[in-house]
Amino acid sequence: FPGLADVSISEDIPVEGEITVPVGSRSPDEDFSTLDEPVRETIMRDLKAVGKKFVHVMYPKKSSALLRDWDLWGPLVLCVSLALMLQGGSADSKDDGGPQFAEVFVIIWFGAVVITLNSKLLGGTISFFQSLCVLGYCVLPLTVAMLVCRLVLLAGAGTVSFIIRLIVVVAMFGWSTLASTAFLADSQPPNRKALVVYPIFLFYFVISWMILTFTPQ
Amino acid sequence: IACLITHLLAEFDDAANLLAASPDATTISIDEPAEIPKNQRDRRQEPGREEDDELLGTDDSDKTELLAGQKKSAPFWTFEYYQTFFDVDTYQVLDRIKGSVFPVPGKNFVRLYIRSNPDLYGPFWICATLVFTIAVSGNLSNFFIHLGKPTYHYVPEFRKVSIAATTIYAYAWLVPLALWGFLMWRNSKVMNIVSYSFLEIVCVYGYSLFVYIPTAILWIIPQKVVRWVLMMFSLCLSGSVLVMTFWPAVRDDNRRIALATVGTVVLLHALLSVGCLAYFFDAPELDFPAPFVPVHNGTTGVTKSH
């Protein structure tokens, strides 16, 4: 290049720039690159998402937060705490006691999977994990009922405590079923809604039965 | 593996969305042609000619077998294949349940209600409901029977749920398998006009178990006579559904084999109900002896007298 030999760039003009290909807007990249943020922030974000879903379950409105950003942390926490609270009954040394930890776990997860498969086979448009997420989160009222039952049983195990427990469990069972139906019913074909709702009813009924029949040692 | 599973499930979503439109078309085409022969069959059955029933059953089964071939054409490893077994609406399931509880003499449950659209929804969820109903009712009944005794400590008896589940699901799926195998084997020897597919037999068995659900709830009543009357009644109802379904399938065979087959079906059904009553429900004791017999070991005295 004969003409370029004379071109010179003076030393005091800084030559700088970026040799990167622009990838659209930068904010989605910054959101997903969570590598640099402190661990506490990562955990708090997930905890807040789980907490927000708990609130949505307790006050079921037509919001799609449960469906859109599903996660299985909440159901896992609820399932484990419910199974732990169901221990310590007359199950320790007896043959005919209450459910073991593994039995509660299996019933909740296997039951949720079967109900999800059932709704998908009947032609539902919800995805597998979204449905698992909703069913798992809607166990929250029943976990609250279990907590209340254990507290009531600390006070005594007579007829009055049984009636209180019965009322609490029935109310929470109704709440769970209505909450999960509110979230799941829209994704079903209209002439099969009852076919999808009935297994959910049976599922929460079995869990309520386990809670109600819990008798301390 | 997780990526593969999520990818497969995403495909299932798409397939489910695509298939949501089509089942309506296929169900309409199957139901409407079958409606008309049914009405004709009703009118012709008044004089009591069963041969016409068989002949119309043949036509019906030919036509519906052709249509069934068109319907279940998805390969068995895809999700759509299994969706064809859940192609029922709420009113169809309710109709089938009604048909199993109120059997009309002379009408075949399979031809009348299933009509080559056997579903797995009914059998599966009726069995699940029956399992939990028997376990819960048995527990409640034992609680009420032993309520006054001072040595009684309530236990939820959760083990019995798994036993009930194994028994009922084994009955509802293995007995139809054996019966289907037997009927296929007899079909190869004797040309039977009426033959059922495996799913239709599973369907009949599943829906015939429905009448045991209210029976199990009523078995809470701690009276022996009441329980046995209920059992006889429900056995007659569900047994008649099974007999009316399977008698036409073995009628053309050797007389003794036909009677033995139908007799075995009824016997197994009776064994199931008697076994459930005996195992899950303690015998009601009208007058229990005064508890002056000292409790020997420290275990809670849940008396199980059969």
Side-chain angles (χ1 to χ4, degrees), chain B residues 234-295:
Chain B
S234 60
L235 183 62
C236 283
L237 277 181
S238 58
S240 66
V241 169
L242 291 177
V243 165
M244 284 193 291
T245 305
F246 290 113
W247 180 246
V250 291
R251 191 170 48 191
D252 302 319
D253 206 341
N254 185 358
R255 197 81 184 165
R256 277 200 221 148
I257 293 189
L259 286 176
T261 310
V262 173
T264 313
V265 163
V266 174
L267 184 67
L268 284 174
H269 214 63
L271 270 180
L272 178 78
S273 56
V274 168
C276 283
L277 179 61
Y279 184 72
F280 293 102
F281 295 82
D282 286 352
E285 296 156 27
L286 295 174
D287 43 343
F288 52 87
F292 56 81
V293 179
V295 177

Side-chain angles (χ1 to χ4, degrees), chain B residues 207-219:
Chain B
Y207 281 103
S208 75
L209 285 177
F210 178 81
V211 75
Y212 285 121
I213 295 177
T215 308
I217 297 178
L218 287 175
W219 271 344

Side-chain angles (χ1 to χ4, degrees), chain A residues 87-143:
Chain A
Q87 300 310 300
S90 35
D92 294 335
S93 55
K94 306 252 57 131
D95 228 3
D96 276 344
Q100 301 290 328
F101 182 90
E103 284 172 340
V104 178
F105 215 80
V106 161
I107 281 184
I108 292 183
W109 285 100
F110 188 62
V113 165
V114 165
I115 293 176
T116 306
L117 280 179
N118 177 63
S119 83
K120 286 190 75 73
L121 284 168
L122 281 170
T125 54
I126 201 171
S127 96
F128 184 76
F129 287 108
Q130 280 174 354
S131 172
L132 276 188
C133 170
V134 168
L135 288 168
Y137 270 102
C138 288
V139 173
L140 175 67
L142 286 169
T143 310

Side-chain angles (χ1 to χ4, degrees), chain A residues 169-182:
Chain A
V169 169
V170 167
M172 292 298 153
F173 160 63
W175 199 336
S176 281
T177 311
L178 286 175
S180 62
T181 312

Side-chain angles (χ1 to χ4, degrees), chain B residues 66-81:
Chain B
L66 281 173
L67 290 169
Q70 288 171 7
K71 215 169 58 142
K72 295 178 180 34
S73 58
F76 69 91
W77 56 84
T78 58
F79 195 65
E80 292 86 53
Y81 179 75

